[in-house]
Amino acid sequence: MPTEVALLESRALRGEQMGRVDVLDKVKSLVMLPDGVHVRTEDVARYFEVSTETVKKVTQRHRAEVEENGLVVLRGSDLRLFQRDMLSLWGREGQESYPQAATQLTLYTRRTVLNIALLLRDSDIARCVRTYLLDAEESLRTQYASLDHRVTRIESCLTGVGSALQELGPVLVRMSERLDSLDRKVEMTHQVVGAMSLRLTDVQQDVGRLDGRMDAFAGQLKDLRRRNGQGGQR
């Protein structure tokens, strides 16, 4: 984990923190210009509770770094255009006038202000920003370590599950084979039952024909007895 001194000394470590502009307002409210994007040198000095000269010196010593993180200096037509836009926005907010720069205007973004916070040694506010960043990173590392431990436990459990599944595999194969055999037996039973049903139909038809013949034979016996009775009376 980096230390506060490491942040002050290492540009690479500072670069890793440039996405954490949210910490600025968590430490102290940063008042932006009407465009909601930029602040001036005096605004930065007011935020860190230092003089404008202190901010200018830090900016000058690390010019390339702060320009990489959003510092711009407006002059000429760019300055006039920016001031006109600010006057328009300032009027919408009910302000009477917007303070204008004479020949040039240095502007900082939130990213630039965070960069200054990681460079400014003689400011309690800057020190609080650095402490907040380091504490947040330590908390994140702790959460990551906890998550890594949980993932390791899950992986070990999955290893045990894998072994159990390997042992279960042959059992499942045997069960599948027995079910297939049972399916074949059931199919054969269906075929036998179907054949028996057809045979019973044939038997029923034979019984019907036999009943018909028996009825005819009974009728013949009645006729024979009737004739024999009539012959005896003569």
Side-chain angles (χ1 to χ4, degrees):
M1 174 181 172
T3 63
E4 184 178 357
V5 174
L7 283 177
L8 290 167
E9 299 296 336
S10 172
R11 179 173 176 177
L13 289 178
R14 291 193 294 272
E16 294 177 359
Q17 304 295 332
M18 285 299 98
R20 297 296 312 280
V21 295
D22 58 298
V23 304
L24 295 173
D25 286 317
K26 292 180 179 180
V27 173
K28 181 182 177 182
S29 177
L30 177 63
V31 180
M32 311 298 292
L33 289 176
D35 65 350
V37 177
H38 299 97
V39 291
R40 300 160 301 178
T41 303
E42 52 265 40
D43 300 320
V44 178
R46 189 177 301 112
Y47 177 82
F48 289 114
E49 300 176 1
V50 296
S51 67
T52 56
E53 288 302 317
T54 299
V55 175
K56 289 178 180 179
K57 287 179 182 179
V58 171
T59 301
Q60 191 60 39
R61 284 198 300 268
H62 302 274
R63 191 76 180 186
E65 182 178 346
V66 293
E67 285 182 347
E68 182 180 313
N69 287 304
L71 181 78
V72 293
V73 179
L74 300 181
R75 299 181 181 88
S77 60
D78 291 335
L79 176 58
R80 290 191 294 273
L81 179 61
F82 181 81
Q83 288 177 333
R84 185 179 64 192
D85 292 341
M86 290 302 101
L87 282 171
S88 175
L89 293 170
W90 202 268
R92 293 177 188 175
E93 296 181 359
Q95 301 292 334
E96 295 182 358
S97 64
Y98 167 74
Q100 301 182 36
T103 58
Q104 69 178 35
L105 178 64
T106 302
L107 295 175
Y108 303 70
T109 64
R110 288 181 179 274
R111 189 181 179 95
T112 322
V113 176
L114 179 59
N115 197 169
I116 297 297
L118 301 184
L119 293 167
L120 193 57
R121 296 175 182 269
D122 300 325
S123 167
D124 291 337
I125 300 300
R127 192 173 298 109
C128 287
V129 171
R130 293 192 293 269
T131 300
Y132 192 99
L133 282 173
L134 294 172
D135 289 346
E137 185 169 344
E138 176 62 23
S139 175
L140 184 62
R141 289 176 182 272
T142 301
Q143 293 177 17
Y144 176 80
S146 175
L147 178 61
D148 183 63
H149 177 66
R150 292 169 63 186
V151 170
T152 301
R153 289 179 57 189
I154 292 173
E155 288 177 344
S156 64
C157 291
L158 289 177
T159 301
V161 170
S163 301
L165 289 176
Q166 290 178 352
E167 296 175 359
L168 186 60
V171 176
L172 293 175
V173 171
R174 290 194 297 271
M175 290 179 63
S176 177
E177 292 174 349
R178 293 180 64 183
L179 288 174
D180 290 341
S181 176
L182 182 60
D183 285 341
R184 290 192 294 270
K185 291 179 179 179
V186 170
E187 180 62 26
M188 291 177 62
T189 301
H190 286 165
Q191 293 176 0
V192 172
V193 170
M196 290 177 64
S197 177
L198 293 174
R199 181 57 181 163
L200 288 174
T201 300
D202 293 340
V203 170
Q204 185 178 12
Q205 292 175 354
D206 291 342
V207 170
R209 287 193 295 270
L210 181 59
D211 286 342
R213 294 177 64 183
M214 291 295 292
D215 290 341
F217 182 69
Q220 292 175 0
L221 285 176
K222 287 180 179 181
D223 291 342
L224 180 60
R225 289 174 180 172
R226 189 170 51 253
R227 287 196 297 269
N228 289 337
Q230 291 176 351
Q233 292 176 356
R234 292 177 185 173

Short mmCIF file of all heavy atoms in Angstrom, two decimals, residues 130-159:
data_model
loop_
_atom_site.label_atom_id
_atom_site.label_comp_id
_atom_site.label_asym_id
_atom_site.label_seq_id
_atom_site.Cartn_x
_atom_site.Cartn_y
_atom_site.Cartn_z
N ARG A 130 -5.38 13.30 0.80
CA ARG A 130 -4.45 12.17 0.64
C ARG A 130 -4.79 11.06 1.63
O ARG A 130 -4.78 9.87 1.28
CB ARG A 130 -3.01 12.66 0.84
CG ARG A 130 -2.52 13.60 -0.25
CD ARG A 130 -1.02 13.82 -0.16
NE ARG A 130 -0.61 14.53 1.04
CZ ARG A 130 -0.48 15.86 1.13
NH1 ARG A 130 -0.80 16.62 0.09
NH2 ARG A 130 -0.07 16.43 2.23
N THR A 131 -5.09 11.44 2.88
CA THR A 131 -5.45 10.43 3.88
C THR A 131 -6.71 9.68 3.48
O THR A 131 -6.79 8.45 3.61
CB THR A 131 -5.66 11.10 5.25
OG1 THR A 131 -4.44 11.76 5.65
CG2 THR A 131 -6.03 10.07 6.30
N TYR A 132 -7.69 10.42 2.96
CA TYR A 132 -8.94 9.79 2.54
C TYR A 132 -8.67 8.79 1.42
O TYR A 132 -9.21 7.67 1.42
CB TYR A 132 -9.91 10.86 2.06
CG TYR A 132 -11.33 10.37 1.89
CD1 TYR A 132 -12.28 10.58 2.87
CD2 TYR A 132 -11.71 9.66 0.74
CE1 TYR A 132 -13.58 10.11 2.72
CE2 TYR A 132 -13.00 9.19 0.59
CZ TYR A 132 -13.94 9.42 1.58
OH TYR A 132 -15.21 8.95 1.42
N LEU A 133 -7.85 9.17 0.46
CA LEU A 133 -7.52 8.28 -0.64
C LEU A 133 -6.83 7.01 -0.14
O LEU A 133 -7.17 5.90 -0.56
CB LEU A 133 -6.61 8.99 -1.64
CG LEU A 133 -7.26 9.97 -2.61
CD1 LEU A 133 -6.19 10.70 -3.41
CD2 LEU A 133 -8.22 9.25 -3.55
N LEU A 134 -5.86 7.18 0.75
CA LEU A 134 -5.11 6.03 1.25
C LEU A 134 -6.00 5.11 2.09
O LEU A 134 -5.91 3.88 1.98
CB LEU A 134 -3.92 6.51 2.08
CG LEU A 134 -2.83 7.25 1.29
CD1 LEU A 134 -1.79 7.84 2.23
CD2 LEU A 134 -2.17 6.32 0.28
N ASP A 135 -6.88 5.71 2.91
CA ASP A 135 -7.79 4.90 3.72
C ASP A 135 -8.76 4.13 2.84
O ASP A 135 -9.06 2.95 3.10
CB ASP A 135 -8.57 5.78 4.70
CG ASP A 135 -7.69 6.33 5.83
OD1 ASP A 135 -6.57 5.82 6.00
OD2 ASP A 135 -8.14 7.26 6.52
N ALA A 136 -9.26 4.80 1.80
CA ALA A 136 -10.19 4.14 0.88
C ALA A 136 -9.51 2.99 0.16
O ALA A 136 -10.09 1.91 -0.05
CB ALA A 136 -10.74 5.14 -0.13
N GLU A 137 -8.24 3.20 -0.22
CA GLU A 137 -7.51 2.14 -0.91
C GLU A 137 -7.25 0.96 0.02
O GLU A 137 -7.35 -0.20 -0.38
CB GLU A 137 -6.19 2.69 -1.45
CG GLU A 137 -5.42 1.68 -2.29
CD GLU A 137 -4.26 2.31 -3.04
OE1 GLU A 137 -4.22 3.53 -3.15
OE2 GLU A 137 -3.39 1.54 -3.52
N GLU A 138 -6.93 1.26 1.29
CA GLU A 138 -6.70 0.19 2.26
C GLU A 138 -7.98 -0.61 2.48
O GLU A 138 -7.96 -1.84 2.56
CB GLU A 138 -6.22 0.78 3.59
CG GLU A 138 -6.05 -0.24 4.70
CD GLU A 138 -5.01 -1.30 4.38
OE1 GLU A 138 -4.13 -1.03 3.53
OE2 GLU A 138 -5.08 -2.40 4.98
N SER A 139 -9.12 0.11 2.57
CA SER A 139 -10.41 -0.58 2.72
C SER A 139 -10.69 -1.46 1.53
O SER A 139 -11.17 -2.60 1.66
CB SER A 139 -11.52 0.46 2.88
OG SER A 139 -12.79 -0.16 2.92
N LEU A 140 -10.37 -0.94 0.33
CA LEU A 140 -10.58 -1.73 -0.89
C LEU A 140 -9.70 -2.96 -0.90
O LEU A 140 -10.14 -4.05 -1.29
CB LEU A 140 -10.30 -0.86 -2.12
CG LEU A 140 -10.57 -1.50 -3.49
CD1 LEU A 140 -12.05 -1.86 -3.62
CD2 LEU A 140 -10.16 -0.56 -4.61
N ARG A 141 -8.46 -2.80 -0.46
CA ARG A 141 -7.55 -3.95 -0.41
C ARG A 141 -8.07 -5.00 0.58
O ARG A 141 -7.99 -6.21 0.31
CB ARG A 141 -6.15 -3.50 -0.01
CG ARG A 141 -5.41 -2.71 -1.07
CD ARG A 141 -4.06 -2.23 -0.56
NE ARG A 141 -3.36 -1.43 -1.55
CZ ARG A 141 -2.56 -1.92 -2.48
NH1 ARG A 141 -2.35 -3.23 -2.53
NH2 ARG A 141 -1.97 -1.14 -3.36
N THR A 142 -8.59 -4.53 1.73
CA THR A 142 -9.13 -5.47 2.72
C THR A 142 -10.32 -6.23 2.15
O THR A 142 -10.44 -7.44 2.32
CB THR A 142 -9.56 -4.71 3.98
OG1 THR A 142 -8.42 -4.01 4.52
CG2 THR A 142 -10.10 -5.66 5.03
N GLN A 143 -11.21 -5.49 1.47
CA GLN A 143 -12.37 -6.14 0.85
C GLN A 143 -11.93 -7.13 -0.22
O GLN A 143 -12.50 -8.22 -0.34
CB GLN A 143 -13.29 -5.09 0.23
CG GLN A 143 -13.96 -4.18 1.25
CD GLN A 143 -14.80 -3.11 0.59
OE1 GLN A 143 -15.14 -3.20 -0.58
NE2 GLN A 143 -15.13 -2.07 1.34
N TYR A 144 -10.90 -6.75 -0.97
CA TYR A 144 -10.40 -7.66 -2.01
C TYR A 144 -9.81 -8.91 -1.39
O TYR A 144 -10.05 -10.03 -1.88
CB TYR A 144 -9.34 -6.95 -2.85
CG TYR A 144 -8.69 -7.85 -3.88
CD1 TYR A 144 -9.32 -8.13 -5.08
CD2 TYR A 144 -7.45 -8.44 -3.62
CE1 TYR A 144 -8.75 -8.96 -6.02
CE2 TYR A 144 -6.87 -9.28 -4.55
CZ TYR A 144 -7.51 -9.54 -5.75
OH TYR A 144 -6.94 -10.38 -6.66
N ALA A 145 -9.06 -8.74 -0.29
CA ALA A 145 -8.47 -9.90 0.37
C ALA A 145 -9.57 -10.83 0.89
O ALA A 145 -9.47 -12.05 0.77
CB ALA A 145 -7.57 -9.45 1.51
N SER A 146 -10.62 -10.23 1.47
CA SER A 146 -11.74 -11.03 1.96
C SER A 146 -12.43 -11.77 0.81
O SER A 146 -12.76 -12.95 0.93
CB SER A 146 -12.75 -10.14 2.68
OG SER A 146 -13.89 -10.87 3.07
N LEU A 147 -12.63 -11.06 -0.29
CA LEU A 147 -13.26 -11.68 -1.46
C LEU A 147 -12.39 -12.79 -2.02
O LEU A 147 -12.88 -13.86 -2.39
CB LEU A 147 -13.52 -10.61 -2.52
CG LEU A 147 -14.15 -11.10 -3.83
CD1 LEU A 147 -15.52 -11.72 -3.57
CD2 LEU A 147 -14.27 -9.96 -4.83
N ASP A 148 -11.07 -12.54 -2.05
CA ASP A 148 -10.15 -13.55 -2.56
C ASP A 148 -10.20 -14.80 -1.69
O ASP A 148 -10.17 -15.93 -2.20
CB ASP A 148 -8.73 -12.98 -2.58
CG ASP A 148 -7.73 -13.95 -3.16
OD1 ASP A 148 -7.85 -14.32 -4.34
OD2 ASP A 148 -6.82 -14.39 -2.42
N HIS A 149 -10.30 -14.60 -0.36
CA HIS A 149 -10.40 -15.75 0.56
C HIS A 149 -11.68 -16.53 0.30
O HIS A 149 -11.67 -17.77 0.29
CB HIS A 149 -10.35 -15.24 2.00
CG HIS A 149 -10.51 -16.32 3.03
ND1 HIS A 149 -9.58 -17.32 3.21
CD2 HIS A 149 -11.52 -16.58 3.92
CE1 HIS A 149 -10.00 -18.14 4.18
NE2 HIS A 149 -11.16 -17.71 4.61
N ARG A 150 -12.79 -15.80 0.10
CA ARG A 150 -14.07 -16.47 -0.16
C ARG A 150 -14.03 -17.24 -1.48
O ARG A 150 -14.54 -18.36 -1.57
CB ARG A 150 -15.19 -15.44 -0.17
CG ARG A 150 -15.46 -14.83 1.20
CD ARG A 150 -16.37 -13.64 1.10
NE ARG A 150 -17.68 -13.99 0.57
CZ ARG A 150 -18.61 -13.08 0.29
NH1 ARG A 150 -18.37 -11.80 0.47
NH2 ARG A 150 -19.78 -13.48 -0.17
N VAL A 151 -13.41 -16.63 -2.49
CA VAL A 151 -13.30 -17.32 -3.78
C VAL A 151 -12.47 -18.58 -3.65
O VAL A 151 -12.78 -19.62 -4.23
CB VAL A 151 -12.70 -16.36 -4.84
CG1 VAL A 151 -12.35 -17.13 -6.11
CG2 VAL A 151 -13.68 -15.25 -5.17
N THR A 152 -11.38 -18.50 -2.84
CA THR A 152 -10.53 -19.67 -2.62
C THR A 152 -11.33 -20.79 -1.96
O THR A 152 -11.20 -21.97 -2.32
CB THR A 152 -9.33 -19.29 -1.74
OG1 THR A 152 -8.59 -18.25 -2.39
CG2 THR A 152 -8.44 -20.49 -1.52
N ARG A 153 -12.16 -20.42 -0.96
CA ARG A 153 -12.99 -21.43 -0.29
C ARG A 153 -13.97 -22.07 -1.27
O ARG A 153 -14.19 -23.28 -1.26
CB ARG A 153 -13.75 -20.78 0.86
CG ARG A 153 -12.87 -20.39 2.03
CD ARG A 153 -13.69 -19.74 3.13
NE ARG A 153 -14.78 -20.61 3.58
CZ ARG A 153 -15.73 -20.20 4.40
NH1 ARG A 153 -15.75 -18.94 4.84
NH2 ARG A 153 -16.68 -21.03 4.79
N ILE A 154 -14.57 -21.23 -2.12
CA ILE A 154 -15.52 -21.76 -3.10
C ILE A 154 -14.81 -22.71 -4.07
O ILE A 154 -15.34 -23.77 -4.42
CB ILE A 154 -16.19 -20.61 -3.87
CG1 ILE A 154 -17.11 -19.82 -2.93
CG2 ILE A 154 -16.99 -21.13 -5.06
CD1 ILE A 154 -17.69 -18.57 -3.53
N GLU A 155 -13.60 -22.31 -4.49
CA GLU A 155 -12.84 -23.17 -5.40
C GLU A 155 -12.52 -24.52 -4.75
O GLU A 155 -12.59 -25.56 -5.41
CB GLU A 155 -11.54 -22.46 -5.81
CG GLU A 155 -11.76 -21.29 -6.77
CD GLU A 155 -10.47 -20.58 -7.08
OE1 GLU A 155 -9.47 -20.78 -6.35
OE2 GLU A 155 -10.44 -19.82 -8.07
N SER A 156 -12.17 -24.50 -3.46
CA SER A 156 -11.88 -25.77 -2.77
C SER A 156 -13.14 -26.63 -2.67
O SER A 156 -13.08 -27.85 -2.82
CB SER A 156 -11.32 -25.49 -1.38
OG SER A 156 -12.27 -24.82 -0.57
N CYS A 157 -14.28 -25.97 -2.43
CA CYS A 157 -15.54 -26.73 -2.39
C CYS A 157 -15.86 -27.32 -3.75
O CYS A 157 -16.31 -28.47 -3.86
CB CYS A 157 -16.68 -25.82 -1.93
SG CYS A 157 -16.58 -25.30 -0.21
N LEU A 158 -15.61 -26.53 -4.79
CA LEU A 158 -15.88 -27.03 -6.14
C LEU A 158 -14.98 -28.20 -6.49
O LEU A 158 -15.38 -29.11 -7.23
CB LEU A 158 -15.69 -25.90 -7.16
CG LEU A 158 -16.75 -24.79 -7.13
CD1 LEU A 158 -16.40 -23.70 -8.13
CD2 LEU A 158 -18.12 -25.37 -7.44
N THR A 159 -13.74 -28.19 -5.93
CA THR A 159 -12.85 -29.32 -6.16
C THR A 159 -13.45 -30.59 -5.58
O THR A 159 -13.44 -31.66 -6.20
CB THR A 159 -11.47 -29.05 -5.52
OG1 THR A 159 -10.92 -27.87 -6.10
CG2 THR A 159 -10.53 -30.22 -5.75
#
